[in-house]
Each structure stands twice: as C-alpha cells, then as structure tokens.
Amino acid sequence: MPDIQLPDGSHRQFAEPVTGLTLARTIGSGLARAAVAMRVNGILKDLSAVLDQDAEVAIVTRDSADGLEVIRHSTAHLLAQAVQSLYPEAQVTIGPVIDNGFYYDFAFPRGFTPEDLEAIEGRMRALVKENLPVQREMLSREDAMALFEKMGEDYKVEIIRAIPQGEPLSLYRQGDFVDLCRGPHVPSTGVLGAFKLQRVAGAYWRGDSRNPMLQRIYGTAWAQQKDLDAYLQQLEEAEKRDHRRIGTELELFSIQEDAGGGLVFWHPMGSRVRRVIEDFWRGAHVEAGYDLLYTPHIAHEQLWYTSGHKDFYSESMFDPMQDEGQAYQLKPMNCPFHILIYKDKLHSYRDLPIRWAELGTVYRHEMSGALHGLMRVRGFTQDDAHVFCRPDQIEAEIGAVLVLVRKILGTFGFDQYEINLSTRPGHSVGSDEIWDAATQALRNALERAGLEYQVDAGGGAFYGPKIDLKIQDAIGRKWQCSTVQLDFNLPERFAMEYVAEDGARKVPIMVHRAIFGSIERFFGVLIEHYEGKFPVWLAPVQAVVLPISEHYSEYAESVSEVLVKRGIRAETDLRNEKIGYKIRAHTLRRVPYLLVVGEREKEAGTVAVRDRNGQDLGILTIDAVGATLQKMDQTRVNTLEWQG
C-alpha cells in the first residue's frame, strides 16, 4: 500500500500500485489534464511510471519549468518521427532541449529546404491529432543494439556501443517510431501542439569536424499557443534589433573574412562608443579602489600547464607558436598574469585585499559554425578583475563587487537581473570549512544587497562557488554578463602566499570577477537593447548641425565648433542636399539631436532643435544646447528638459 506524500505535506494512500496519472486524477481532473510528468523523490519520471512504494511525489504540469522541458524534449521526438515518416532514408542521431526550444540532428543525403520544413511541420501536426500514446520500454544493451542495427540506425548503434555492457536502456515508442532516450516524455502526442520549426543548419557529428556533417533542424515549443505567439513576436522584434545589421548600417564594426572569422574590426563610430564605455569602466574601478593592469597577449606554454588550462581547457586554446625553441601560447584568460604580478613580491596580511582590474584581450578557439557577430568571437577584451583577500574579507569584498556591478550595469540601463548562486559540485578542491564559509559569504552578500537569487546546487566550479548574473534587455531577453567566482585552486597551483598576523605563511583567496563579460559581447547587447539608439552619453555622434543651404555653412561650422569645445561629439553636414534629405539621413543614423540652422537662426545666434524621434524641441541658443548636451553627457542621463 504505497503512501504518497504531496508537496503540500498531505498524503494519499492506495491499496495497490498506481501510476502518476492515476495519482493526478485523485487530486483533481484539472491537474490531470495539465500534467505531463512527475517528480518521484526528486527524480523526473513519466506519468506512466508505477508508484509501488512510499514516496514524495510532485505532479509536473505543462506550465512549469520541468514541464516545459518535457514538452520540448517530446517535440524533438515528434520532429524525428515526422522526418522519418516523410523521408525514410534519414537517420536519427540526437535531439536535446536547448534554450527556448530544441533541435534534432539527422544524417540525410541532402540539405533540408524551407519547403521540407513546411512539410515536416505539417506532418508533426497530423501526428498530434492522432494523439499517439508515448510508451517507455526497457531493453538490454545487446537487444537495443540489435534493434537499431536492424533499423539501419548507425548513429544510435554508435551511441549504444559507448554505454557499458549490462546496463539496461530505455526506449520510447509512439506509433511506428522508436528512439533511444532517457526520458521522460509526455503521455501522448496530443499533449503537444504549440511549436514552430525555425531553421536548418549544418552540424558535425559529436561536434568534431573530422566526422560527417549532419542536418540540424531547430524548433521552439511552448506550453500554450499564447506563449509561442509571444516568443515569435519577440524573435521578430529581435530581428529588427540584430546587432550585425545595425552595426553595418551605423558603421560601428565589421568582421573581415580576409583576416579570419571571429575577429572584430572596430570602425571609427564603434570605437568612439567603446572609448566611452572603457573610460567609464576605468573611472568606476579606480573609485572602487582597484588598480589597473596591462599584461602581454602571449606567454610560455608552461604557464598554462601550471594554471591547468592545458589540461582542462586546451580545446578552446589556439595551438602554441614556436620561437627560438620556446613554445608560446596566446592567452585564453588573464588570471595567471595577475597571479605572476602578485608573486613578484611577498605580501603581508595588511596588504590585503588587493584589487586589480584589466581590459585584457584574450583569444579562444571557437568552431567557425559557432561564431556569431559580436556574441561569439575568437578575440575579445574581457573586463577582468581579481581580488586577493583573506578568508575573513570574502563577504565584504563580494558585497563591494555587487555594489560595483549594479552601479555599472545600472548606468547602461540594466536594472532587471536573474541571479544564481552556484554551490559545491561533487568533485572539488578545498576543505569543507572553506567551501562552507565561502558559500555562506556569497549568500550573505546577496541578501545584504537585497538581491533575489536562486541556488544552483552543485553547479559551482570545482575550484569554488560563484554568482552569475543575467541582465534583461528591452524586449525581455536575458543575457549572461556578470560573474563573481571564488577560486581555491589557482592560489594553490601557483603557491601564492601572504604573511599572516601570526607570522605564518597562508594562501590567499582569489576572486575572479567580470561585469560585462567582454566588451565585444556587451556592445552587441547594448546595440540590440537600444536598437542602435544609444543614450546621448554613449552615442558616437551626439548632435549634427544641418544648414538649410550652403549660405549657412559657415554659421553651421561655428555652432559645431562651440559644441566640440564643450566636449560634445558634434558634426556638421555641409552636403548640397535638401534639408529634408539630411534630416532623414541622420535620423536613420540614430543621431540623438539634429540642429537645423538658417537665416533666422544665424541672425539670432540660435539653432532649431529636433530629436531623432521627430519631436520639435524649439529654437534654443547655442549656449543652452551646449549646456544641456554637456549635462546629459556628464551625468549619463538620456533626457533633460530643454530650456532656451
């Protein structure tokens, strides 16, 4: 007689074993209709799983995070079934859940076309209407291999061969389709429906360029149609904000294929914005008690063996270069360089904390297929900082870092966050005492800052707990930016020391910290967040003076000179074009303010001010315009009341 404890603490007793679906029905018909899976003693299982022992059970509904993952996984299977129904020669490989959706990789002799995707999606919807039961089966490794060999599914056979002998495997059937899968899945295909196939891409089997190229179909799936509609609308809005297109239109940056993929060329307009970002970053760090460092781009290969990067990170590092019998390595990270500076002399406990920051360019080997504008590149500048402190200083230093993070991100217009505290994983270095103290210090710092957070149990790095912060942009997307990571490993590997108060030699705690993540990626996020309409303080051109004819060119230039002397990034458009054409051209350039001058303005020493949204702000004196723009720039606010 299984005794089932529900999340609210209540119990259900049964005279015989029951399935999860039966349990859901005893709680309520509405819950049963919304159910897609269940958690049994914390483990996600199918609703068809039998409950024959006492257990803690939570029914998983379609609108929960777990439920959405199950729906997306099951939709990936639905996709595979539809593909093989239409194209029997296609072999299935893997089909995982990803952010906002799923994909499935197929071995297929040709690329899928847009017309194929339309047909596949139509077949998927037909399978949903059939409401096919989704059934789990257990087979021995040998029987599963024989089954997939008979089906001609070479990739599934390869997967099974890598599984230890004697281990039972689970399969899922729906209609005439069968797939090797750990599960769980929805009870039937009729539960699905809010999905959309999106695109096709090439992908190497197991991500290795030496393996065959597969066809990857991406899709998105949601609990309800309204959620899908909202997401597709967000994608449409994101397309308008694509930083690659806007970057080209505004001449901010480019990726020059003659130089190589993933290498960013900053054009004059983009470089202006970058300089403003970096100057603000440096000033904020100096105010927060950091010293700024500059370190080389390469170092002896041995340094990366000492740090452990060659053992754990080599796939993301470029091959070393040889010079005079020495192997040099492009740096993938800045951390070892800061450690070498620390070790240049012996430090006392009184010296700590030491706070060092660097805008350091690093280089990482990314597969060409993974490169994406500014978001995924091979050479980028990290806004890197390291704090070396005593254990008793951890909480205060993390608290100060969080203050700095919020100040900097808030200045750029980001004040909505998703924060995760990642704790000790199964494999780790460091004592229980230091892990417990460090994790509690991170927790205390977050709570004192009044920040809501979620705990990612076991999600920390092997060398220390961490805080990850995602910012939310103007259309609701979340971007991973800031990270605060404690490190008990590198100080040991590099034999770092300080002299404690009692004269003993002790190992400092190292805090890795980035706020933007990288300048390149953060700039890409900024472009999309503002749709290229940067606030005045960030805009590459803050104002442009537009004479209505060549007769007023000299006056226009004098206006521009006054503004430039005030530190305003101002330009003059002296082209022999109609004023309407000039206004439209600079509106498309997203210049915040357009200053039109003609006879009346020349006589009065004024300008006619309009903003990039087409609003007429009136006739103002040159000094008033200069003072207002200067205040916007210096205070980093986007709007002020204009006064004559």
Side-chain angles (χ1 to χ4, degrees):
M1 296 179 62
D3 183 309
I4 306 302
Q5 180 177 327
L6 302 177
D8 64 359
S10 63
H11 289 256
R12 291 283 196 283
Q13 286 88 26
F14 298 91
E16 57 186 9
V18 294
T19 65
L21 186 57
T22 300
L23 171 63
R25 286 171 178 156
T26 68
I27 300 171
S29 58
L31 179 64
R33 287 193 298 272
V36 293
M38 62 178 170
R39 278 199 177 274
V40 182
N41 296 326
I43 300 173
L44 204 57
K45 292 191 174 185
D46 298 295
L47 281 174
S48 60
V50 175
L51 301 167
D52 56 5
Q53 296 181 6
D54 295 351
E56 295 180 1
V57 179
I59 301 299
V60 173
T61 57
R62 61 190 306 127
D63 57 355
S64 66
D66 281 341
L68 190 54
E69 182 159 343
V70 171
I71 285 171
R72 288 171 174 164
H73 194 180
S74 297
T75 308
H77 276 223
L78 185 71
L79 165 61
Q81 181 181 12
V83 167
Q84 290 203 316
S85 173
L86 294 172
Y87 312 102
E89 67 273 31
Q91 289 190 53
V92 294
T93 62
I94 58 171
V97 173
I98 57 175
D99 287 346
N100 299 317
F102 60 90
Y103 69 77
Y104 212 112
D105 288 346
F106 300 92
F108 194 56
R110 63 172 176 83
F112 290 110
T113 66
E115 293 74 23
D116 291 332
L117 284 195
E118 188 175 342
I120 293 166
E121 188 171 310
R123 180 60 183 144
M124 291 171 70
R125 300 200 182 282
L127 292 169
V128 168
K129 289 182 179 179
E130 292 183 33
N131 197 23
L132 301 170
V134 179
Q135 300 169 318
R136 178 184 174 97
E137 298 179 13
M138 298 300 297
L139 288 182
S140 68
R141 177 180 178 275
E142 291 70 25
D143 288 345
M145 188 176 298
L147 171 65
F148 284 103
E149 283 178 342
K150 183 178 179 180
M151 294 168 60
E153 296 286 1
D154 301 333
Y155 293 88
K156 293 295 182 184
V157 172
E158 183 178 331
I159 292 171
I160 294 170
R161 282 202 180 105
I163 297 172
Q165 289 189 359
E167 186 170 325
L169 303 178
S170 58
L171 282 67
Y172 281 81
R173 290 184 184 273
Q174 51 196 61
D176 57 0
F177 176 75
V178 60
D179 202 355
L180 177 72
C181 187
R182 195 179 285 119
H185 285 282
V186 297
S188 67
T189 59
V191 173
L192 309 173
F195 58 79
K196 179 71 178 173
L197 298 186
Q198 296 172 286
R199 60 189 174 92
V200 180
Y204 292 112
W205 170 235
R206 297 189 182 278
D208 190 332
S209 60
R210 295 168 295 185
N211 289 335
M213 175 69 76
L214 306 174
Q215 296 298 308
R216 175 172 294 177
I217 298 180
Y218 286 94
T220 186
W222 296 84
Q224 300 181 56
Q225 185 64 38
K226 66 176 183 178
D227 300 326
L228 173 62
D229 292 342
Y231 177 68
L232 294 178
Q233 185 176 359
Q234 184 188 72
L235 287 183
E236 187 177 334
E237 181 63 30
E239 181 65 26
K240 298 176 188 176
R241 296 168 177 264
D242 191 321
H243 72 282
R244 296 167 297 179
R245 179 180 57 80
I246 294 174
T248 299
E249 290 175 357
L250 302 187
E251 300 181 15
L252 300 173
F253 71 92
S254 65
I255 308 294
Q256 300 288 339
E257 294 305 322
D258 288 345
L263 302 173
V264 181
F265 286 73
W266 293 78
H267 292 213
M269 291 295 122
S271 296
R272 290 184 186 181
V273 183
R274 175 169 176 161
R275 178 174 58 81
V276 173
I277 293 171
E278 291 187 352
D279 287 349
F280 169 61
W281 182 92
R282 290 188 180 97
H285 280 76
V286 170
E287 288 179 11
Y290 286 77
D291 282 309
L292 304 181
L293 304 181
Y294 296 90
T295 60
H297 291 230
I298 63 173
H300 284 152
E301 185 182 28
Q302 182 57 45
L303 180 69
W304 307 103
Y305 280 108
T306 302
S307 69
H309 287 91
K310 292 294 285 188
D311 296 322
F312 302 109
Y313 203 71
S314 59
E315 289 185 359
S316 296
M317 298 170 69
F318 284 99
D319 291 339
M321 60 189 83
Q322 298 291 328
D323 182 67
E324 296 182 347
Q326 293 272 9
Y328 287 85
Q329 183 80 54
L330 281 169
K331 66 175 177 180
M333 296 184 182
N334 299 301
C335 334
F337 290 61
H338 293 194
I339 291 173
L340 292 182
I341 296 175
Y342 178 95
K343 285 174 60 67
D344 210 40
K345 70 174 186 177
L346 182 62
H347 295 275
S348 162
Y349 71 95
R350 294 189 183 90
D351 299 331
L352 306 182
I354 292 173
R355 307 182 191 101
W356 288 337
E358 176 181 13
L359 292 169
T361 301
V362 298
Y363 303 89
R364 296 184 186 172
H365 178 257
E366 298 281 359
M367 299 296 291
S368 58
L371 300 174
H372 178 75
L374 296 175
M375 304 304 190
R376 196 75 177 265
V377 295
R378 287 172 170 158
F380 55 93
T381 301
Q382 284 187 313
D383 66 315
D384 223 348
H386 296 97
V387 178
F388 304 101
C389 65
R390 306 188 306 265
D392 63 289
Q393 296 172 322
I394 293 175
E395 184 176 331
E397 288 305 304
I398 298 303
V401 166
L402 293 176
V403 169
L404 185 60
V405 167
R406 296 173 76 183
K407 171 186 174 179
I408 290 179
L409 294 180
T411 302
F412 287 96
F414 299 109
D415 54 11
Q416 298 294 315
Y417 314 121
E418 178 183 298
I419 300 174
N420 286 291
L421 170 61
S422 300
T423 61
R424 188 176 192 174
H427 171 66
S428 61
V429 298
S431 67
D432 293 343
E433 180 183 8
I434 191 62
W435 268 92
D436 292 344
T439 303
Q440 189 59 47
L442 295 185
R443 193 186 303 271
N444 291 345
L446 286 167
E447 292 174 356
R448 289 191 179 187
L451 295 170
E452 294 184 4
Y453 63 94
Q454 297 176 325
V455 175
D456 179 11
F462 74 91
Y463 48 82
K466 65 175 179 173
I467 295 171
D468 287 318
L469 186 148
K470 294 180 181 178
I471 57 175
Q472 182 171 304
D473 71 8
I475 59 174
R477 296 173 299 177
K478 293 183 172 64
W479 302 90
Q480 172 64 51
C481 281
S482 305
T483 297
V484 186
Q485 170 77 65
L486 296 191
D487 190 342
F488 315 135
N489 179 51
L490 283 182
E492 294 279 1
R493 295 183 74 102
F494 280 92
M496 297 176 69
E497 293 180 332
Y498 68 92
V499 179
E501 190 171 5
D502 61 3
R505 300 291 180 92
K506 293 189 176 180
V507 179
I509 301 295
M510 183 176 186
V511 181
H512 304 260
R513 194 239 63 201
I515 296 177
F516 300 145
S518 80
I519 296 292
E520 286 76 6
R521 186 169 181 273
F522 187 72
F523 187 46
V525 173
L526 278 177
I527 293 171
E528 299 198 1
H529 177 64
Y530 287 111
E531 200 177 354
K533 297 177 182 178
F534 297 111
V536 170
W537 74 279
L538 280 174
V541 178
Q542 296 168 321
V544 60
V545 186
L546 308 176
I548 62 173
S549 76
E550 61 184 10
H551 300 298
Y552 308 105
S553 295
E554 185 176 340
Y555 177 63
E557 287 187 300
S558 70
V559 171
S560 182
E561 287 174 8
V562 170
L563 297 178
V564 169
K565 286 179 180 178
R566 280 183 172 266
I568 305 303
R569 294 186 291 280
E571 293 182 353
T572 307
D573 187 344
L574 301 179
R575 291 178 296 172
N576 187 25
E577 300 285 356
K578 292 182 178 180
I579 191 63
Y581 176 89
K582 292 181 182 181
I583 289 173
R584 174 170 171 74
H586 293 289
T587 299
L588 291 174
R589 288 180 68 202
R590 281 93 158 170
V591 176
Y593 293 102
L594 313 181
L595 312 179
V596 180
V597 296
E599 182 63 31
R600 181 175 56 176
E601 289 77 23
K602 178 181 176 181
E603 289 296 323
T606 60
V607 296
V609 184
R610 60 183 290 147
D611 67 19
R612 59 189 162 201
N613 297 318
Q615 183 179 2
D616 185 352
L617 300 174
I619 307 296
L620 302 174
T621 65
I622 299 171
D623 283 344
V625 170
T628 303
L629 289 174
Q630 192 174 42
K631 189 171 183 180
M632 286 183 182
D633 185 61
Q634 292 174 351
T635 60
R636 302 184 182 91
V637 297
N638 198 17
T639 56
L640 284 174
E641 184 176 347
W642 289 81
Q643 296 179 344

